[in-house]
Amino acid sequence: LSQLYAQEDLFFEALFTLREGTRKFPESGELYNNLALLYEKTRVLDSAYYFYDQALRHSSKPEVTQANVLAFWAKHFSAQKLDSVLTATA
């Protein structure tokens, strides 16, 4: 449902739907991942990062979230900053 709202550029409806989902299913990494993607789309990067972190903690398939996090860093930060992030996390 949140994806349908997001496709129609109904940000708040998508947001409220995902928030309701995380209240009902607080261990769903997929819902947190979708929240992160939604916030990233609107360039609220601190919230996007927070929800990516939550997604990594709760995901049944962390490789999907890890790929999204890598894309997040690549899109929003310079290559020089990425090198230091990769070094710190390796």
Side-chain angles (χ1 to χ4, degrees):
L1 183 58
S2 68
Q3 291 296 80
L4 291 173
Y5 286 137
Q7 288 173 357
E8 296 296 322
D9 291 325
L10 299 170
F11 171 76
F12 289 106
E13 287 82 353
L15 176 66
F16 296 145
T17 301
L18 286 168
R19 290 288 191 144
E20 182 181 343
T22 59
R23 278 192 296 279
K24 290 183 180 181
F25 304 100
E27 301 295 317
S28 174
E30 292 76 11
L31 290 173
Y32 291 117
N33 186 68
N34 288 346
L35 269 168
L37 290 169
L38 184 65
Y39 276 111
E40 185 180 351
K41 187 176 177 182
T42 60
R43 304 191 74 49
V44 182
L45 302 183
D46 57 341
S47 293
Y49 181 76
Y50 171 80
F51 286 113
Y52 278 132
D53 184 56
Q54 292 300 310
L56 286 169
R57 293 173 192 249
H58 300 292
S59 183
S60 60
K61 293 185 180 181
E63 61 276 3
V64 173
T65 302
Q66 289 168 343
N68 288 338
V69 170
L70 185 58
F72 168 79
W73 285 107
K75 281 190 273 186
H76 300 290
F77 300 97
S78 70
Q80 184 179 25
K81 289 181 183 175
L82 283 177
D83 285 342
S84 64
V85 169
L86 290 173
T87 301
T89 59

